[in-house]
Amino acid sequence: MPSLSQFRSIQALGAALRSRQISATELATDALRTAHQHPDPNVFLHIDDDLTLAQAQAADQALAHDRAGPLTGIPIAHKDLFVTQGWRTTAASRMLANYVSPFDATVVSQLQQAGAVSLGKLSCDEFAMGSGNENSAFGSVQNPWDTQRIPGGSSGGSAAAVAAGLVLGATGTDTGGSVRQPAAYCGVSGIKPTYGTVSRYGIIAYASSLDQAGPLARSAQDLVPLLDAMSGFDPQDSTSLESCDGQANAQGRVQADYTAAQARFQAAGALPLQGLRIGVPREFFNEGLADDVGAAIEAALQTFESLGAVRVDISLPRTRLAIPAYYVIAPAEASSNLSRYDGVRYGHRADSYTDLADMTSRSRTEGFGDEVRRRILVGTYVLSHGYYDAYYLQAQRVRRMIADDFQRALSQDCDVIMGPVTPTTARLIGDNRQDPIADWLSDIYTLGVSLAGLPGMSIPCGFGGPGARLPIGLQIIGRYFDEGHLLALADRYQQVTDWHQHTPEYA
Ligand code: GLN
């Protein structure tokens, strides 16, 4: 019987499903078996065979009646930050260890309507706070390329599952880099669209003005149908945007059409790469950048040049300030968003306590891990009377300046920006345990894009680290709503390179 491991792309698997070479149910059965037997027990936080098989049967029905779309029957899985009816939703926290949502996140139901079959819930950093997936209350996830190393975070389970071939697509969320960074460390492709493109309804909130969902998959080509299904105006999310080039569908949703956008770019003659101005920010090539990462980025830029693009030296002068601004704003919003977990309205309740205040305090102390507590403390501090102006307001001003830097570059100097996603390849699990700030510093190249609300993606562009066995990601940053362009550029690069086709040994 054909199995999931034989198919390396959503397109190829979709064709096999439509030609009845394999059924969605056979595929789901095989994928569930592989997921249960996977050597890293921490990738999935919740699998429920019956729920998955019910979705697979519905996909087979759609296939039998020629109602199949590009995602019908395709095995995917969700970061455990998206609420799901049926599967538990824990945000990788003890606080929500037994939580089952009464409804599905918009993204979850949209992917289900598109026919994708979910294998369950994937590990992440607790409440999406972290850069290594070590902050999960349920154990670290291993990087499939080297099991001693982190897969990145916070969507580490999503990146590891795609890299290991457990699924062909996964959802992630990116508040300061959490789609792009794990995609880079695990050698897969991932995109964080423009803030407001994908509904936040039903995504457990970390920092609401930054949180944005995006898909992870092997290639840019595979990201297109996933982002098509995930995006669209949602009246249930007050920051959801009606996208520029979308068309209303039967439910009145404005759906951005990345398949059409990509086709437009392709029709314009192997893409408008001739004369495409790639801005290369000099601040991204500072002393913190490892030589092997720098060399891989340089080679990728040369590939784009060989396709007709031109390189422009640009400056994003406030790059350095992204870290302090982000690590004030994100904890501030988190401290407010996480106040609902008090053991009464939501979450774990301590067994014994003396009074109401004691109950809240004990429940929160027991329910939250160290990094989440650290952020709540920082956030509460910067929002408190007397410090608000000095920290929070100041950080908001810096955020505006960072967004202006990108805006200036993308309107005057260049069409897209390219650079590294991370300063180094994936570090060893446990390395930064004594020094949480060291992890914060590794977010230097991704935070600015999030603060500005711009679209950004990561695609594999080489290998580095010990023995040159660890993946390196190229970051591509675009103008607002330019996802279609970014995906088309990435696809063009992937037509002439094969970094995205490499797989770790056991996948
Ligand atoms: N590493 C960053 C943080 O810890 C980003 C996380 C994210 O994007 N969810 O906040």
Side-chain angles (χ1 to χ4, degrees), residues 98-120:
N98 298 310
Y99 179 67
V100 181
S101 165
F103 68 99
D104 280 328
T106 299
V107 164
V108 170
S109 53
Q110 288 183 177
L111 282 165
Q112 190 176 338
Q113 274 162 29
V117 174
S118 173
L119 290 193

Side-chain angles (χ1 to χ4, degrees), residues 401-460:
M401 291 169 158
I402 290 169
D404 287 347
D405 285 350
F406 278 103
Q407 193 67 10
R408 196 173 315 109
L410 285 165
S411 59
Q412 293 171 9
D413 307 330
C414 57
D415 305 305
V416 291
I417 294 172
M418 291 190 194
V421 180
T422 55
T424 63
T425 49
R427 63 169 172 80
L428 291 167
I429 291 173
D431 254 8
N432 285 352
R433 202 153 284 161
Q434 305 308 325
D435 184 7
I437 307 291
D439 257 8
W440 296 11
L441 298 180
S442 72
D443 296 339
I444 176 99
Y445 306 130
T446 53
L447 297 177
V449 173
S450 297
L451 288 166
L454 290 166
M457 65 185 301
S458 172
I459 53 171

